[in-house]
Amino acid sequence: MFKTIIEPFRIKEVEPIRLSTPEERTDLISEAGFNVFALRSENVIIDLLTDSGTGAMSSAQWAGIMRGDESYAGSPSFYRFQDAVRDVMGFEHVIPTHQGRAAERILFSVMCKAGDVVPNNSHFDTTRANVEFRGAKALDLPCEELADPDSDFPFKGNMDVGLLEQTLAEPGRARVPLAMLTVTNNSGGGQPVSMANARAVAEVCRRHDVPFYLDACRIAENAYLIKQRETGYAHKSVARIVREMCDLADGCTMSAKKDAIVNIGGFLATRDSAVARQEKDLLILTEGFPTYGGLAGRDLEAIAVGMYEGLDEDYLHYRITSTRYLGDHLRRAGVPIMWPPGGHAIYLDARRFAPHLAPSDFPGVSMTVELYTVGGVRGVEIGSLMLGSRDAETGEEKPAARELVRLAIPRRVYTQSHIDYVIEVVTRVHEHREELRAYRIVEQAPFLRHFSARLEPVGSASASAR
Ligand code: F0G
């Protein structure tokens, strides 16, 4: 064996990257209200904002795109998509949606009512927003090991099964319409969930007669990490591990923009025909007929191919190793990160990176601004801007449990030299960390405020002019 792990693909089409200067970027980020979501992507050098919908499709997927059949009803593209999802995951009813959050909205509309409680290891922001929009409570029950960002514990994405048991005893089954596991746990540092934990969660749910769902968008990466880290799985294929986890569940939501490596698409799946019927009724209202669900036939073809490509072990080996490479190098340079590295991203720990800033100073925002200005690298804050909230009456900021900056790695897009550049940029910002400034929000929306908020540095000229 050789020690160099190569990208297991060749590149046959390229997209130029415009190399902007730090001076240009200083102006651009200020015009963007210090919010990286407001930047134009052509002004970004390495875009690690998300791994969602940003992957490079394969030649087989592009061939699928050409084969797409755009019939309104009964398209063969739908049947190829449905066959692929059934084959990989084993769920009987498969409902296409334009992306993961549409699947979430339909699922919670059908299953939840006001006053309900939905437990999850950690809700992703859109999942939380969709639960709350229904008037229900989104309850995060991460395992206690997640609190220590430095330990080697291999499955910090796990749910605290004791707390789940308590939740099902009080408030009780009548108010808990379903429980969910997010694999991997994106808001909790991209950490994997072990099969043992999924099995324990499924068992508690079954005993209380509560449906158990997976938020499955990164289930292939989670399965690869199980294969690497969990006793008894080294010799099982990733496809088998994925199926074993799905076999524990009653259904799933899936953003296919992650592990199915497509630019748009998702689905909702269940074993329950009565639930599926209600979901399809809602689907027709807002997404489309059940054989396309807001997608083009060509998109369904790309998902059908991507469902299998995401399970390819040479690809997963390269992907997980390259994420690990970024994590290892940053840690070695003394940069505090969520340890161990997960599948799709490295999470910088902003509390330890900038200990002079309080959560209400938005240290993660400050870091995203610097990473962009210094090197044109776009990461995303997953901290008090994204997951905290402002009390409508007192105006007081409620901080998030963690202050993280996520560097998410698009699938099959960047090579090792791009990652080496990112290591240099992050290390440079870390060397100058005392200069990181506090930020405050000047404009925000009532839901999912991180997408559109405008901020300013505390003590800036514009702030003092107010
Ligand atoms: N669940 C998880 C765990 C996610 O990470 C996402 C999206 C969704 C659901 C929603 O799916 O975007 O297709 O509607 N995560 C992206 C991210 C946006 O950057 O992590 P979607």
PDB file of all heavy atoms in Angstrom, residues 114 175 197 225 319 390 418 463:
ATOM      1  N   ALA A 114     -49.636  21.341  17.752  1.00  0.00           N
ATOM      2  CA  ALA A 114     -49.128  22.328  18.709  1.00  0.00           C
ATOM      3  C   ALA A 114     -49.024  21.689  20.090  1.00  0.00           C
ATOM      4  O   ALA A 114     -49.899  20.912  20.482  1.00  0.00           O
ATOM      5  CB  ALA A 114     -50.062  23.537  18.741  1.00  0.00           C
ATOM      6  N   ARG A 175     -47.680  13.184  23.825  1.00  0.00           N
ATOM      7  CA  ARG A 175     -47.155  14.461  23.321  1.00  0.00           C
ATOM      8  C   ARG A 175     -45.894  14.298  22.485  1.00  0.00           C
ATOM      9  O   ARG A 175     -45.310  15.275  22.041  1.00  0.00           O
ATOM     10  CB  ARG A 175     -46.909  15.422  24.488  1.00  0.00           C
ATOM     11  CG  ARG A 175     -48.233  16.050  24.978  1.00  0.00           C
ATOM     12  CD  ARG A 175     -47.988  17.045  26.073  1.00  0.00           C
ATOM     13  NE  ARG A 175     -47.006  18.050  25.692  1.00  0.00           N
ATOM     14  CZ  ARG A 175     -46.280  18.732  26.577  1.00  0.00           C
ATOM     15  NH1 ARG A 175     -46.417  18.511  27.875  1.00  0.00           N
ATOM     16  NH2 ARG A 175     -45.426  19.641  26.167  1.00  0.00           N
ATOM     17  N   ASN A 197     -26.124   2.944  19.477  1.00  0.00           N
ATOM     18  CA  ASN A 197     -26.993   4.017  19.944  1.00  0.00           C
ATOM     19  C   ASN A 197     -28.298   4.038  19.147  1.00  0.00           C
ATOM     20  O   ASN A 197     -29.386   4.162  19.722  1.00  0.00           O
ATOM     21  CB  ASN A 197     -26.263   5.356  19.834  1.00  0.00           C
ATOM     22  CG  ASN A 197     -27.037   6.503  20.472  1.00  0.00           C
ATOM     23  OD1 ASN A 197     -27.586   7.346  19.787  1.00  0.00           O
ATOM     24  ND2 ASN A 197     -27.107   6.525  21.799  1.00  0.00           N
ATOM     25  N   LEU A 225     -18.001   5.877   9.053  1.00  0.00           N
ATOM     26  CA  LEU A 225     -17.373   6.111  10.363  1.00  0.00           C
ATOM     27  C   LEU A 225     -17.688   4.959  11.330  1.00  0.00           C
ATOM     28  O   LEU A 225     -16.862   4.600  12.168  1.00  0.00           O
ATOM     29  CB  LEU A 225     -17.797   7.477  10.920  1.00  0.00           C
ATOM     30  CG  LEU A 225     -17.219   8.667  10.116  1.00  0.00           C
ATOM     31  CD1 LEU A 225     -17.952   9.971  10.430  1.00  0.00           C
ATOM     32  CD2 LEU A 225     -15.721   8.844  10.383  1.00  0.00           C
ATOM     33  N   ARG A 319     -12.881  10.731   0.897  1.00  0.00           N
ATOM     34  CA  ARG A 319     -13.600  11.869   1.481  1.00  0.00           C
ATOM     35  C   ARG A 319     -13.317  12.012   2.978  1.00  0.00           C
ATOM     36  O   ARG A 319     -12.957  13.071   3.461  1.00  0.00           O
ATOM     37  CB  ARG A 319     -15.097  11.702   1.248  1.00  0.00           C
ATOM     38  CG  ARG A 319     -15.911  12.761   1.976  1.00  0.00           C
ATOM     39  CD  ARG A 319     -17.226  13.024   1.338  1.00  0.00           C
ATOM     40  NE  ARG A 319     -17.999  14.027   2.062  1.00  0.00           N
ATOM     41  CZ  ARG A 319     -17.798  15.334   1.989  1.00  0.00           C
ATOM     42  NH1 ARG A 319     -16.840  15.820   1.241  1.00  0.00           N
ATOM     43  NH2 ARG A 319     -18.530  16.178   2.683  1.00  0.00           N
ATOM     44  N   ARG A 390     -33.176  35.854  20.171  1.00  0.00           N
ATOM     45  CA  ARG A 390     -33.344  37.094  20.931  1.00  0.00           C
ATOM     46  C   ARG A 390     -34.726  37.087  21.559  1.00  0.00           C
ATOM     47  O   ARG A 390     -35.715  36.851  20.863  1.00  0.00           O
ATOM     48  CB  ARG A 390     -33.179  38.301  20.000  1.00  0.00           C
ATOM     49  CG  ARG A 390     -33.422  39.621  20.705  1.00  0.00           C
ATOM     50  CD  ARG A 390     -33.113  40.792  19.816  1.00  0.00           C
ATOM     51  NE  ARG A 390     -31.679  40.939  19.594  1.00  0.00           N
ATOM     52  CZ  ARG A 390     -31.144  41.935  18.877  1.00  0.00           C
ATOM     53  NH1 ARG A 390     -31.913  42.840  18.302  1.00  0.00           N
ATOM     54  NH2 ARG A 390     -29.843  42.029  18.729  1.00  0.00           N
ATOM     55  N   HIS A 418      -6.019  22.592  -2.456  1.00  0.00           N
ATOM     56  CA  HIS A 418      -7.021  23.527  -1.929  1.00  0.00           C
ATOM     57  C   HIS A 418      -7.097  23.400  -0.400  1.00  0.00           C
ATOM     58  O   HIS A 418      -7.184  24.389   0.316  1.00  0.00           O
ATOM     59  CB  HIS A 418      -8.410  23.222  -2.512  1.00  0.00           C
ATOM     60  CG  HIS A 418      -8.536  23.510  -3.983  1.00  0.00           C
ATOM     61  ND1 HIS A 418      -8.783  22.528  -4.908  1.00  0.00           N
ATOM     62  CD2 HIS A 418      -8.458  24.668  -4.675  1.00  0.00           C
ATOM     63  CE1 HIS A 418      -8.864  23.078  -6.119  1.00  0.00           C
ATOM     64  NE2 HIS A 418      -8.652  24.362  -6.007  1.00  0.00           N
ATOM     65  N   ALA A 463     -20.895  52.148  13.820  1.00  0.00           N
ATOM     66  CA  ALA A 463     -21.601  51.904  15.086  1.00  0.00           C
ATOM     67  C   ALA A 463     -21.595  53.166  15.952  1.00  0.00           C
ATOM     68  O   ALA A 463     -22.615  53.555  16.512  1.00  0.00           O
ATOM     69  CB  ALA A 463     -20.952  50.750  15.829  1.00  0.00           C
TER      70      ALA A 463
END
